[in-house]
């Protein structure tokens, strides 16, 4: 299958397009349904796992960034949160209304929403006993729920990659994606950027003088 990759400022065709790296909207919905049907987890843990996976998918956070989030870092009014990325640099990340609702539902189970001052310093994602999840715990939750999909990788990075890919495929510029991912340089962002054959055909049709009339 033919694919496209952005290299520098140009689009280059490559022989094999590995769509298996990108989690689709339908696949995410499938994952959330499977979490709901997991008889081994109680409702609070199901809510936590759904919120965790969706926050990765809709914000493009790194594993360490998500792991370090405390409740005080979240602004529910504006759907943004403060994260500390590589090089100890702070940035704001955003999430959608659906993810916000999942986070609020999860926090409600732990009696932390409506927000209470005594919980401000708590890590966002915790165990049943309110102990913070470790990096390993978070990675395990993601991998456990993504492993049934046809992907080349099943960890949090697959969700970060998907976040960037969906933005690119919907016309968001590389510089904006760079900022959202917390990258220092554009070259780091370009490893995420690829568009499918349908997107290539659409671009040619609209832009090339020999495109379809």
């Amino acid at each position: 299958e033919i694919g496209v990759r952005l290299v520098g400022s140009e689009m280059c065709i490559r022989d094999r397009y590995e769509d298996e790296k990108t989690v689709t909207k339908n696949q995410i919905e499938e994952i959330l349904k499977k979490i709901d049907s997991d008889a081994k987890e109680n409702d609070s843990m199901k809510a936590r796992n759904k919120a965790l996976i969706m926050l990765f998918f809709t914000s493009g956070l790194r594993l360490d960034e998500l792991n370090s989030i405390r409740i005080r870092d979240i602004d529910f009014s504006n759907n943004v949160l403060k994260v500390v990325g590589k090089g100890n640099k702070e940035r704001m990340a955003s999430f959608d209304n659906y993810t916000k609702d999942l986070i609020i539902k999860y926090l409600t189970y732990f009696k932390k929403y409506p927000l209470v001052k005594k919980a401000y310093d708590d890590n966002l994602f915790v165990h049943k006993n309110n102990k913070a999840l470790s990096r390993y715990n978070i990675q395990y939750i993601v991998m456990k729920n993504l492993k049934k999909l046809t992907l080349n990788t099943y960890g949090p990075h697959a969700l970060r990659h998907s976040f960037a890919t969906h933005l690119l495929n919907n016309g968001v510029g590389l510089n904006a994606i760079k900022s959202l991912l917390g990258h220092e340089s554009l070259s780091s962002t370009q490893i995420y950027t690829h568009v499918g054959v349908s997107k290539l055909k659409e671009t040619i049709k609209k832009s090339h003088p020999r495109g379809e009339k």
Side-chain angles (χ1 to χ4, degrees):
E1 186 177 0
I2 296 175
V4 167
R5 187 175 181 87
L6 288 171
V7 180
S9 60
E10 299 182 3
M11 274 197 304
C12 299
I13 296 177
R14 61 179 179 173
D15 291 333
R16 187 164 176 260
Y17 171 63
E18 296 181 346
D19 191 52
E20 293 83 1
K21 289 182 179 180
T22 304
V23 181
T24 67
K25 180 182 176 183
N26 288 340
Q27 286 175 320
I28 278 289
E29 290 174 352
E30 178 187 339
I31 289 166
L32 299 184
K33 287 178 183 177
K34 286 183 178 178
I35 292 174
D36 273 332
S37 64
D38 188 350
K40 295 180 181 179
E41 296 283 12
N42 63 29
D43 288 343
S44 64
M45 294 296 96
K46 290 177 183 179
R48 180 202 65 189
N49 294 350
K50 287 165 64 177
L52 187 154
I53 286 173
M54 280 304 296
L55 186 56
F56 270 127
F57 186 68
T58 60
S59 66
L61 296 178
R62 299 179 178 96
L63 173 57
D64 285 337
E65 291 171 344
L66 185 135
N67 188 38
S68 67
I69 298 171
R70 297 184 183 274
I71 292 176
R72 66 167 182 259
D73 298 325
I74 307 171
D75 178 354
F76 287 105
S77 298
N78 296 301
N79 288 19
V80 296
L81 55 88
K82 180 178 69 177
V83 295
V84 179
K86 287 186 176 180
N88 209 33
K89 292 188 176 181
E90 288 187 2
R91 78 174 190 282
M92 302 303 292
S94 63
F95 48 89
D96 63 6
N97 285 326
Y98 182 68
T99 301
K100 176 173 73 173
D101 291 342
L102 289 177
I103 295 173
I104 288 174
K105 183 177 181 180
Y106 152 62
L107 290 176
T108 302
Y109 277 112
F110 283 82
K111 296 181 170 35
K112 296 180 182 182
Y113 194 94
L115 298 176
V116 291
K117 192 171 182 179
K118 67 178 182 180
Y120 282 1
D121 288 332
D122 287 0
N123 281 71
L124 175 58
F125 293 110
V126 297
H127 291 281
K128 297 174 186 177
N129 61 3
N130 202 41
K131 181 181 178 182
L133 293 180
S134 67
R135 290 179 82 260
Y136 171 80
N137 297 145
I138 293 172
Q139 196 159 21
Y140 175 78
I141 290 168
V142 175
M143 293 182 73
K144 173 187 174 184
N145 287 289
L146 264 64
K147 67 181 181 181
K148 293 182 180 180
L149 301 178
T150 308
L151 299 170
N152 288 336
T153 178
Y154 306 106
H157 192 77
L159 297 174
R160 178 170 162 86
H161 173 94
S162 301
F163 168 78
T165 301
H166 289 304
L167 289 179
L168 180 75
N169 286 348
N170 282 283
V172 178
L174 280 182
N175 279 311
I177 297 173
K178 167 182 170 289
S179 177
L180 291 168
L181 292 174
H183 282 158
E184 289 274 337
S185 66
L186 199 59
S187 60
S188 297
T189 309
Q190 288 169 343
I191 66 171
Y192 296 94
T193 57
H194 59 271
V195 290
V197 173
S198 60
K199 194 71 177 180
L200 174 60
K201 288 180 179 178
E202 179 185 339
T203 301
I204 293 173
K205 183 177 178 180
K206 290 181 178 180
S207 307
H208 196 278
R210 293 188 64 84
E212 294 179 23
K213 304 296 183 184

